[in-house]
Amino acid sequence: MGKSKRKVPGINASSTADISFILLIFFLVVTSMNSSLGLDVRLPKPPEDEAEPPKVFKRNNFTVFVNMNNQIMVTLGDKEGEEVEVSDLKDLAKTFITNRDNLDIYPALEKDTIVYVDAANEEHPLPASSFEGRGEIMVAKKHVISLQTDRATQYQLYFDVQAQLYEAYTELRDSLAKARFGKPFDALDENDQMVCRLAYPIMISEAEPRKYEK
Amino acid sequence: MSKFGNKEKAEMPELNTSSLPDLIFSILFFFMIVTSMREEEVKVDVKLPKGSERVLTEIEHKSSVINVYVGVPTKAEDRARYGDRNCIQLNDKISGINEVRDFVNDGRKSMKQVDQARMKVALKVNQHADMGIVTDVKMELRQAGALNVLYSADKLAEKGE
């Protein structure tokens, strides 16, 4: 009966602030900010000694060469190479890959049918009659973008070139997504994204860097 | 002057600090969430290349990532030992190109099954490095079967957006 009247002494909490300050400082020291952004690429399989490099028709070839003085040269098929700026690369690559006007200097277009794709099993596309994005599309299936560097090329420029080329593909997929599905690429579900990826597969081949004798 | 006369008697009201611990705790939780444990000490200067946000992607599964650093050593003693050139750093030490393959294979073995399948190598290369060393590393990665590569980069501060 008398118990309920007894007052519980309050705990002195004035040092909690100090304790949490110490914890805070500890975490500030041992951790680092998340800086895991980057350009996601897939390298080709290691070269096999016996295997002949696949033959590529000249018109299907788009060569980007970055030299030791960090100049960029673009060669289309057997045309004369010309020096370009990094910022031009994206549009050049897009014109090359799409070949909208069906010109002889750009890669040959082939008819491809968009089918329903199961993202988990990309080897076996399943045709589905209810699939809204299906239909025919003209794509340059056999194009190759060949990227060559010198051993002395600066990494930042190489990165910029890669980023431009990847952005070209990203924009092409995005416009296909908008045309076929009425949504931007990022808003599509996994299967529809795979459809766009298969329509514009990334075909960037990287040759070994050249080492020129001085 | 009675208005100003009794200054010494006026007492400063005490500041109520009872919410201070809560405040600090929330800052603490904020930092615990946004940051991640520092896994290795970076011994080379990696000033990452800058790229447009449109092409950059973020790593989703941090446990499946292996870091390879390339840059000029930051410490004077390392520079005296390895020279004033771009070096490769694996784990906590500066290594030669021939160690890359074993490093990647060992890293893969120590991962969980799920992470092994989606293993990714983050190349943290200084923007001023030359392509020669980067290509050598890439060649080793291809030989090791580590084909998923992320060229780590920083966001470019874009003007006019």
Side-chain angles (χ1 to χ4, degrees), chain B residues 39-40 59 65-69 89-91 103 120-124 152:
Chain B
E39 295 118 31
E40 55 235 320
I59 294 180
V65 173
I66 293 180
N67 288 321
V68 174
Y69 301 87
Q89 184 194 335
L90 309 168
N91 268 339
F103 170 73
K120 198 168 274 187
V121 178
L123 284 181
K124 305 202 167 176
S152 289

Side-chain angles (χ1 to χ4, degrees), chain A residues 121-207:
Chain A
N121 191 2
E122 60 177 288
E123 299 289 314
H124 305 288
L126 312 159
S129 49
S130 61
F131 175 52
E132 53 180 325
R134 71 184 192 281
E136 279 173 351
I137 180 179
M138 299 297 278
V139 284
K141 278 206 135 175
K142 295 204 173 88
H143 78 273
V144 170
I145 293 182
S146 156
L147 175 55
Q148 294 170 7
T149 51
D150 188 273
R151 284 194 74 88
T153 303
Q154 205 191 341
Y155 179 65
Q156 170 75 62
L157 186 64
Y158 168 78
F159 181 87
D160 289 341
V161 170
Q162 279 274 19
Q164 287 278 326
L165 296 178
Y166 271 87
E167 205 177 344
Y169 282 106
T170 318
E171 285 185 10
L172 288 175
R173 288 169 178 180
D174 202 44
S175 56
L176 179 72
K178 279 177 188 150
R180 295 283 162 141
F181 303 102
K183 276 189 264 182
F185 182 76
D186 293 330
L188 296 180
D189 68 35
E190 222 171 290
N191 291 337
D192 294 348
Q193 283 192 349
M194 188 55 81
V195 170
C196 298
R197 282 206 196 97
L198 288 181
Y200 292 112
I202 291 179
M203 308 277 251
I204 300 175
S205 109
E206 285 181 66

Side-chain angles (χ1 to χ4, degrees), chain A residues 92-118:
Chain A
L92 283 172
K94 277 170 81 175
T95 332
F96 169 78
I97 299 163
T98 52
N99 189 8
R100 271 187 223 295
D101 303 324
N102 210 352
L103 299 175
D104 280 346
I105 50 165
Y106 295 129
L109 293 177
E110 286 169 48
K111 204 178 274 177
D112 195 18
T113 316
I114 292 187
V115 287
Y116 178 80
V117 189
D118 184 5

Side-chain angles (χ1 to χ4, degrees), chain B residues 48-158:
Chain B
L48 294 177
K50 293 202 163 43
S52 149
E53 206 178 332
R54 291 180 299 249
V55 287
L56 299 184
T57 46
E58 199 162 337
I59 294 180
E60 281 166 45
H61 312 284
K62 286 207 110 186
S63 52
S64 60
V65 173
I66 293 180
N67 288 321
V68 174
Y69 301 87
V70 177
V72 177
T74 37
K75 283 185 193 147
E77 62 205 66
D78 283 339
R79 275 208 299 278
R81 199 168 150 203
Y82 301 103
D84 217 351
R85 57 189 179 84
N86 288 300
C87 297
I88 303 163
Q89 184 194 335
L90 309 168
N91 268 339
D92 257 345
K93 61 180 205 303
I94 292 169
S95 318
I97 183 74
N98 47 346
E99 291 167 75
V100 175
R101 212 181 298 184
D102 288 340
F103 170 73
V104 172
N105 285 329
D106 290 347
R108 182 172 17 212
K109 260 180 233 154
S110 62
M111 277 179 193
K112 277 185 259 166
Q113 203 94 49
V114 202
D115 288 332
Q116 283 187 6
R118 60 185 179 209
M119 185 185 76
K120 198 168 274 187
V121 178
L123 284 181
K124 305 202 167 176
V125 183
N126 190 303
Q127 50 177 258
H128 296 299
D130 50 288
M131 276 312 290
I133 192 163
V134 180
T135 316
D136 292 344
V137 172
K138 268 162 55 187
M139 199 63 210
E140 289 296 314
L141 293 181
R142 283 169 65 182
Q143 298 289 357
L147 301 179
N148 289 322
V149 167
L150 187 95
Y151 296 121
S152 289
D154 285 333
K155 246 186 260 175
L156 183 75
E158 267 166 275

